[in-house]
Amino acid sequence: MDFFHKKYSCEVDGEKFSSEEDLMNHYRTVHHKLILKCQKCGKEFIHEKDRLHHVREEHEKEMDARVHKSEHKHTETGNPQDRVDSNMKNFGDNF
């Protein structure tokens, strides 16, 4: 009966586990496999393709915002004199 509740299986030796965490621990300890982590949320993956799929699906909005980051205009901060000073600070370097 317990066999039906174990939906995570090891690709190397076929052993089955009831949780993804147990499978990851098995890979780490028995097969000494590198476990890849999502940099955003820490979820672990056995294959790079699975990690990339996760990032695209779960963190797509954040990535999309980064891709279009340069399209957004930022408003100037500080007073007008500060902006003039920052633009003129290297002015004399060209003479």
Side-chain angles (χ1 to χ4, degrees):
M1 284 281 244
D2 196 33
F3 174 79
F4 294 107
H5 296 289
K6 295 183 176 184
K7 64 180 186 174
Y8 299 96
S9 62
C10 175
E11 294 176 358
V12 178
D13 61 16
E15 191 171 342
K16 298 201 180 288
F17 301 91
S18 56
S19 74
E20 191 173 20
E21 184 178 345
D22 291 342
L23 174 63
M24 294 297 171
N25 288 333
H26 171 76
Y27 264 85
R28 250 189 233 106
T29 57
V30 175
H31 302 298
H32 305 286
K33 295 276 186 179
L34 175 66
I35 304 298
L36 306 164
K37 276 191 173 185
C38 173
Q39 296 297 319
K40 284 289 187 188
C41 66
K43 187 170 180 178
E44 298 177 326
F45 301 91
I46 296 168
H47 301 289
E48 177 66 6
K49 65 180 177 66
D50 295 332
R51 186 192 66 81
L52 291 173
H53 177 76
H54 161 79
V55 169
R56 281 192 295 270
E57 294 295 316
E58 298 296 322
H59 306 297
E60 185 176 323
K61 287 182 183 177
E62 292 174 32
M63 287 178 62
D64 192 43
R66 280 188 178 167
V67 169
H68 301 292
K69 181 179 176 180
S70 63
E71 296 174 4
H72 302 289
K73 300 290 181 200
H74 297 284
T75 58
E76 294 289 332
T77 58
N79 63 41
Q81 186 61 49
D82 290 339
R83 290 194 299 270
V84 169
D85 291 344
S86 71
N87 290 329
M88 298 296 287
K89 68 181 173 186
N90 295 325
F91 180 74
D93 292 348
N94 294 327
F95 295 106

